[in-house]
């Protein structure tokens, strides 16, 4: 309600101030009236106006009626706002721009201080945060509209302790947890990173910045794009209706879900279908849930574009977690709905900032989805990992899944029509065509895909010493054969960190534990104490 609810609530609460977020798109079409009403109501409220030049909630359009920040500030003061303060990532932009003299400009790092100052000011106050939409900046870099910075942030996961502070400081969903043999760590997803470097504001020695010779990664992608998919694939055999068809697409914001839905709609029209579609993106942000419905008909257009309960012939799961949600499964039917999707996991914001919240295992999500869909009609693959290995980036993962759906006979659109629609879309044509073809191959010839993935992965040798025969002998003497690999890995790490004396000291402790274990009853199990010691 853009803060108007506070006008009626303020007189009945002990609290005497409220913050209200407001986007610039909302501000220019209706939010200005809410600010004026708050002034007329004589309440204490601070509007945090995000001036990012984008209507993010409905697809990234330019805000209609947008005014420059100086004009916005001047209008707010004229309407009776008590104080206006601007925070920005680049204060140099505000030199000689004609701001009213009573408006201060502070760097982004003082955002919390700015909020505290405005909250202490009686009446209606406005904090204008001027920063270009990070998601739009990422898209514009891909299109070559704006320059791509040459700096990247990476994390040395051996130093990282997985505390999650970087995620809390940056509130960035590209700062993702992952599991290692040494516990939960954090990494930067370079594919989705917006390059605003806010994660560096945390106090952590594991962060490293790297300057690239090729910031766009064009050379690497070109090398991968030459890895051609097989062309001798069998024609798909349909397992879904050919004339009247409906599907629900589930994914996350910022990965091109809506774009893929539009491409498929175009492909279906080229194939002679009547097409109806509905994109339910709501207030999705990057990595927020997105759902798109598509209905195809060979005869008259369908009466509605939204799918009802149990009406989907295909659940196209670009994100498995969204597909397994109640909304994702609403349209599923035990007898009719086929499933094609990716098992790649993208952590939610809750998982990034709260270490006790874990991503469900892919098998658990697949079983939940299988319980509501057609038996024996499930096709899953780790699309992000596969496309990253084949192309050097996972940006075409969704198109890869589309290829799987077409080849599995779960999507009644001709492959040539999908390829024609990809060409008409005009974005990363070759990469998307290859991803689509490799997706088909994943279903038709998975052995060829596995071979291509294996040859594409070229890891540098590990720079650490071989384990000495003495240490190997000591580990064998512990009598825990099922733990030998883990013990050898840990001993190698101790040698790399210190020397063989360090590893021997650790093995001395394990020897004592093993002796105690051998002296106990057999009820404890042969390695329970050693596992606890490790």
């Amino acid at each position: 309600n853009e803060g108007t609810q506070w006008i009626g609530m303020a007189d009945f609460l002990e609290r005497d101030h409220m913050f209200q977020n407001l986007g610039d798109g909302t501000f220019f079409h209706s939010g200005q009236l809410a600010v004026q009403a708050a002034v007329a109501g004589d309440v204490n409220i601070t509007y945090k106006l995000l001036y990012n030049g984008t209507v993010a909630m409905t697809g990234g359009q330019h805000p209609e009626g947008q005014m420059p920040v100086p004009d916005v500030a001047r209008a707010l003061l004229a309407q009776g706002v008590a104080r206006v303060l601007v925070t920005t990532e680049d204060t140099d932009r505000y030199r000689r721009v004609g701001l009213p003299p009573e408006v201060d400009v502070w760097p982004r790092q003082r955002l919390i201080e700015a909020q505290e100052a405005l909250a202490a000011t009686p009446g209606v106050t406005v904090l204008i945060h001027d920063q270009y939409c990070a998601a739009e900046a990422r898209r514009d870099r891909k299109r070559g509209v704006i320059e791509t910075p040459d700096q990247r942030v990476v994390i040395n996961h051996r130093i990282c302790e997985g505390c999650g502070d970087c995620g809390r400081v940056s509130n960035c969903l590209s700062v993702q947890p992952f599991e290692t043999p040494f516990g939960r760590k954090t990494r930067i997803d370079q594919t989705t990173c917006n390059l605003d470097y806010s994660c560096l504001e945390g106090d952590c020695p594991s962060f490293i910045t790297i300057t690239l010779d090729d910031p766009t990664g064009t050379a690497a992608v070109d090398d991968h794009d030459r890895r051609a998919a097989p062309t001798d694939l069998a024609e798909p055999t349909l397992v879904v209706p050919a004339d009247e068809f409906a599907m629900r697409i589930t994914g996350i914001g910022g990965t091109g879900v809506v774009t893929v839905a539009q491409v498929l709609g175009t492909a279906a029209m080229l194939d002679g279908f009547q097409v109806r579609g509905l994109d339910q993106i709501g207030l999705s942000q990057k990595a927020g849930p997105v759902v798109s419905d598509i209905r195809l008909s060979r005869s008259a257009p369908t009466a509605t574009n939204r799918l009802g309960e149990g009406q989907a012939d295909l659940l196209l799961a670009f994100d498995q977690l969204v597909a397994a949600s109640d909304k994702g499964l609403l349209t599923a039917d035990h007898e009719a709905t086929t499933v094609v999707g990716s098992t790649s996991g993208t952590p939610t914001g809750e998982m990034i900032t709260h270490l006790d919240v874990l991503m469900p295992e892919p098998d658990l999500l697949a079983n939940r989805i299988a319980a509501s869909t057609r038996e024996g009609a499930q096709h899953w693959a780790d699309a992000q990992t596969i496309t990253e290995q084949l192309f050097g980036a996972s940006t075409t993962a969704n198109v890869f899944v589309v290829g799987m759906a077409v080849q599995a006979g779960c999507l009644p659109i001709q492959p040539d029509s999908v390829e024609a629609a990809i060409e008409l879309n005009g974005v990363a044509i070759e990469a998307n065509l290859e991803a689509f073809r490799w997706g088909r191959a994943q279903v038709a010839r998975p052995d060829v895909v596995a071979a291509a993935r294996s040859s594409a992965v070229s890891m540098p040798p590990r720079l650490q010493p071989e384990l000495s025969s003495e240490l190997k002998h000591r580990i064998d003497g512990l009598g825990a054969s099922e733990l030998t690999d883990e013990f050898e890995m840990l001993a190698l790490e101790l040698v790399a960190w210190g020397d063989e004396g360090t590893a021997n000291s650790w093995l001395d402790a394990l020897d004592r534990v093993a002796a105690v274990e051998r002296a106990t009853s057999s009820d404890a199990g042969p390695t329970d104490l050693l596992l606890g010691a490790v």
Side-chain angles (χ1 to χ4, degrees):
N1 298 315
E2 300 163 11
T4 55
Q5 70 274 24
W6 181 244
I7 300 171
M9 294 166 57
D11 289 340
F12 301 95
L13 301 176
E14 294 180 3
R15 173 180 185 163
D16 62 359
H17 178 269
M18 174 178 151
F19 283 104
Q20 173 67 41
N21 293 323
L22 194 64
D24 53 353
T26 302
F27 176 81
F28 289 117
H29 75 63
S30 61
Q32 300 176 70
L33 298 176
V35 176
Q36 293 179 40
V39 171
D42 193 25
V43 293
N44 299 325
I45 185 171
T46 297
Y47 281 91
K48 295 164 61 178
L49 173 58
L50 175 59
Y51 191 95
N52 65 3
T54 301
V55 185
M57 66 181 289
T58 55
Q61 300 90 346
H62 180 77
E64 293 295 332
Q66 187 177 32
M67 299 186 298
V69 170
D71 291 349
V72 173
R74 195 171 291 107
L76 290 170
L77 292 170
Q79 292 165 0
V81 169
R83 185 179 180 186
V84 176
L85 203 156
V86 176
T87 54
T88 178
E89 58 185 340
D90 183 9
T91 56
D92 290 341
R93 290 205 310 250
Y94 279 86
R95 293 180 178 177
R96 297 181 294 276
V97 297
L99 273 175
E102 59 265 57
V103 176
D104 295 319
V105 178
W106 291 359
R108 183 179 68 178
Q109 290 75 14
R110 298 180 65 185
L111 181 63
I112 300 299
E113 182 185 352
Q115 292 179 188
E116 292 170 346
L118 293 176
T121 303
V124 179
T125 58
V126 178
L127 170 61
I128 304 176
H129 183 67
D130 180 7
Q131 180 173 332
Y132 189 55
C133 176
E136 286 302 305
R138 179 163 51 90
R139 295 187 183 102
D140 285 346
R141 292 187 193 107
K142 290 180 181 178
R143 298 165 182 157
V145 176
I146 62 176
E147 184 179 357
T148 300
D150 61 2
Q151 180 175 278
R152 296 292 184 275
V153 177
V154 297
I155 297 175
N156 183 341
H157 70 270
R158 299 308 306 276
I159 297 175
C160 168
E161 296 182 352
C163 68
D165 180 65
C166 50
R168 285 186 290 270
V169 169
S170 64
N171 196 32
C172 178
L173 295 173
S174 297
V175 181
Q176 298 181 356
F178 74 112
E179 299 299 327
T180 77
F182 303 98
R184 189 177 186 179
K185 305 289 185 177
T186 307
R187 63 185 169 195
I188 306 295
D189 183 348
Q190 301 295 335
T191 301
T192 62
C193 177
N194 287 324
L195 302 178
D196 68 351
Y197 310 125
S198 57
C199 55
L200 292 175
E201 295 174 9
D203 183 16
C204 182
S206 69
F207 277 73
I208 304 169
T209 56
I210 297 175
T211 301
L212 304 180
D213 293 331
D214 177 26
T216 62
T218 304
V221 172
D222 287 345
D223 288 341
H224 281 279
D225 282 351
R226 285 193 286 270
R227 191 178 303 279
T231 56
D232 55 341
L233 301 177
E235 286 298 313
T237 300
L238 284 184
V239 297
V240 294
D243 297 326
E244 300 288 334
F245 173 82
M247 69 173 168
R248 169 153 288 188
I249 305 174
T250 63
I252 54 177
T255 62
V257 176
V258 174
T259 300
V260 171
Q262 297 304 310
V263 168
L264 289 179
T266 301
M269 286 191 289
L270 295 175
D271 223 20
F273 281 103
Q274 299 281 347
V275 181
R276 291 288 183 269
L278 176 66
D279 300 314
Q280 303 171 54
I281 57 178
L283 296 173
S284 68
Q285 58 179 344
K286 184 177 72 171
V290 176
V291 174
S292 292
D293 290 344
I294 297 180
R295 289 180 178 271
L296 308 180
S297 173
R298 291 287 185 187
S299 54
T302 56
T304 175
N305 54 359
R306 184 173 184 175
L307 271 63
E309 187 173 342
Q311 293 183 340
D313 297 298
L314 169 64
L315 177 60
L316 194 61
F318 294 151
D319 184 82
Q320 198 179 27
L321 190 62
V322 179
S325 67
D326 292 341
K327 188 172 185 179
L329 293 176
L330 175 67
T331 60
D333 180 82
H334 291 278
E335 297 181 357
T337 305
T338 61
V339 180
V340 181
S342 173
T343 59
S344 312
T346 300
T348 65
E350 188 79 3
M351 296 172 190
I352 289 172
T353 56
H354 294 80
L355 302 185
D356 56 333
V357 181
L358 303 177
M359 172 70 74
E361 290 295 327
D363 288 347
L364 179 66
L365 296 174
N367 290 339
R368 173 175 164 82
I369 293 169
S372 300
T373 53
R374 182 169 154 187
E375 185 178 358
Q378 321 281 319
H379 302 272
W380 295 104
D382 187 352
Q384 288 186 16
T385 299
I386 295 173
T387 52
E388 188 167 352
Q389 290 172 346
L390 292 176
F391 308 118
S394 60
T395 51
T396 56
N398 289 348
V399 181
F400 180 91
V401 175
V402 171
M404 290 174 57
V406 169
Q407 190 63 33
C410 299
L411 186 56
I413 304 175
Q414 291 297 315
D416 289 345
S417 297
V418 177
E419 293 197 5
I422 289 173
E423 293 177 354
L424 286 172
N425 188 53
V427 177
I429 296 174
E430 290 304 318
N432 283 306
L433 287 175
E434 286 300 317
F436 174 70
R437 293 163 185 166
W438 278 113
R440 293 184 60 195
Q442 175 67 23
V443 172
R445 301 186 59 185
D447 57 324
V448 175
V449 178
R453 292 173 62 187
S454 178
S455 62
V457 178
S458 178
M459 299 295 292
R462 295 191 67 182
L463 300 177
Q464 65 179 19
E466 289 290 328
L467 194 64
S468 69
S469 58
E470 178 192 349
L471 291 175
K472 286 186 177 181
H473 180 71
R474 291 200 61 184
I475 290 172
D476 290 341
L478 291 170
S481 58
E482 64 270 42
L483 297 177
T484 297
D485 290 342
E486 184 172 358
F487 285 169
E488 288 186 356
M489 180 267 292
L490 294 173
L492 275 171
E493 294 297 325
L494 290 171
V495 172
W497 179 77
D499 53 26
E500 286 209 11
T502 309
N504 273 307
S505 296
W506 174 66
L507 288 172
D508 289 341
L510 290 189
D511 280 335
R512 294 192 295 272
V513 174
V516 172
E517 192 164 65
R518 284 191 290 268
T520 61
S521 68
S522 59
D523 294 341
T527 56
D528 289 353
L529 291 177
L530 278 173
L531 278 171
V534 172

